[in-house]
Amino acid sequence: SSTRRSVCTRTSPVMAVSSPLHSNSDIHCVTFAAGTPTHLAQVYDEWAVTYDDTVQNTLAGTGVHHPTTELLSVLKQCVPTAKAILDVGAGTGVAGPLLAAQYQPSRMVALDLSRGMLEVASSLPNQGGYTQFVQACCPDLGDAHGPFDLCICAGTFIPNHAPPETLQSLVKATQPGGFICFSVRKHFFDDLESGFSTLQQKLVDEGKWELVTKEERDYLPKQQINAYYFAYRVLQH
């Protein structure tokens, strides 16, 4: 695979969480090789404190968390208001303060597989604007009960992470007229085996949602990786 597809090879060995990690880029590779959701959660628990620095500097090379900032730019174009928001794969809560400033929601739920990541998010000033923190393994949304006006997922639809079936869960959790906005790495979406393009079109064909926009934007510029950023309007459950 080329460097446009991944910063680490898909044959990277599964590394025990207790093993010494030589660099932040190493732990990034481990997430793609983790064999179970429990192992993946443990990796992110260990990574939580340095995660933002890794993404913004080591991987993106710009000091910017592009999956979040680019998605928020799309939201500004497509979603005028949102009082109940679900942030799927919220991680360390980077999107929280931005969403809070943009929409002033009365309810905003942070959902993530990793308790350690959620602890970082909850330690932000004003809890990052979040009103609830839910640890769950997608496509199960756990205690993140709808209805929501807006569901977002920035940077979690990647190999070995949240599966495409998560989108069906989000449709059920979003009230008709609400929005689901998310990113998928371009090479991953274009690979039909990932299941995203097929499922997204299936939901259109079933009349569950309609596409508002699809834009190719920066994702990890230093790695020459772009993503598609989508916004859908939910029509029915």
Side-chain angles (χ1 to χ4, degrees):
S1 62
S2 70
T3 56
R4 294 186 67 83
R5 293 185 61 84
S6 176
V7 297
C8 51
T9 65
R10 296 299 300 277
T11 56
S12 299
V14 176
M15 189 182 302
V17 175
S18 59
S19 299
L21 296 170
H22 302 294
S23 71
N24 285 338
S25 59
D26 286 341
I27 202 167
H28 172 247
C29 295
V30 175
T31 68
F32 292 115
T36 66
T38 299
H39 181 203
L40 185 61
Q42 291 173 333
V43 174
Y44 275 106
D45 286 347
E46 182 168 348
W47 192 10
V49 174
T50 58
Y51 175 82
D52 291 332
D53 178 66
T54 304
V55 171
Q56 296 168 188
N57 297 306
T58 306
L59 300 179
T62 60
V64 175
H65 196 286
H66 291 277
T68 299
T69 58
E70 296 292 348
L71 189 62
L72 264 290
S73 178
V74 172
L75 291 179
K76 288 181 180 179
Q77 301 172 21
C78 302
V79 182
T81 62
K83 293 305 179 185
I85 299 174
L86 173 60
D87 183 1
V88 177
T92 58
V94 173
L98 302 175
L99 290 166
Q102 190 159 316
Y103 294 111
Q104 294 84 50
S106 56
R107 179 180 180 229
M108 187 161 69
V109 180
L111 183 151
D112 203 88
L113 177 66
S114 164
R115 175 60 55 189
M117 298 285 271
L118 290 174
E119 287 175 354
V120 173
S122 66
S123 70
L124 294 171
N126 194 36
Q127 295 190 131
Y130 296 107
T131 58
Q132 182 183 2
F133 297 88
V134 175
Q135 184 179 16
C137 182
C138 293
D140 180 10
L141 302 182
D143 292 329
H145 302 300
F148 295 100
D149 305 310
L150 170 64
C151 294
I152 75 160
C153 185
T156 305
F157 290 141
I158 60 178
N160 205 39
H161 287 62
E165 291 77 20
T166 304
L167 296 172
Q168 293 171 309
S169 300
L170 297 183
V171 167
K172 294 176 182 178
T174 306
Q175 64 179 2
F179 295 86
I180 300 174
C181 303
F182 56 95
S183 63
V184 185
R185 293 188 185 205
K186 181 180 185 297
H187 68 79
F188 192 46
F189 180 84
D190 290 340
D191 180 357
L192 294 181
E193 292 185 4
S194 75
F196 279 92
S197 62
T198 300
L199 183 55
Q200 287 171 227
Q201 185 58 47
K202 180 175 182 285
L203 291 169
V204 170
D205 295 341
E206 293 175 345
K208 300 294 187 182
W209 68 8
E210 62 182 0
L211 180 64
V212 177
T213 191
K214 172 188 175 184
E215 301 180 20
E216 182 179 341
R217 289 171 170 255
D218 284 342
Y219 189 85
L220 295 176
K222 185 178 179 181
Q223 312 301 331
Q224 298 181 312
I225 295 174
N226 285 356
Y228 293 124
Y229 293 82
F230 296 92
Y232 285 91
R233 182 182 292 107
V234 173
L235 302 177
Q236 60 173 321
H237 295 152

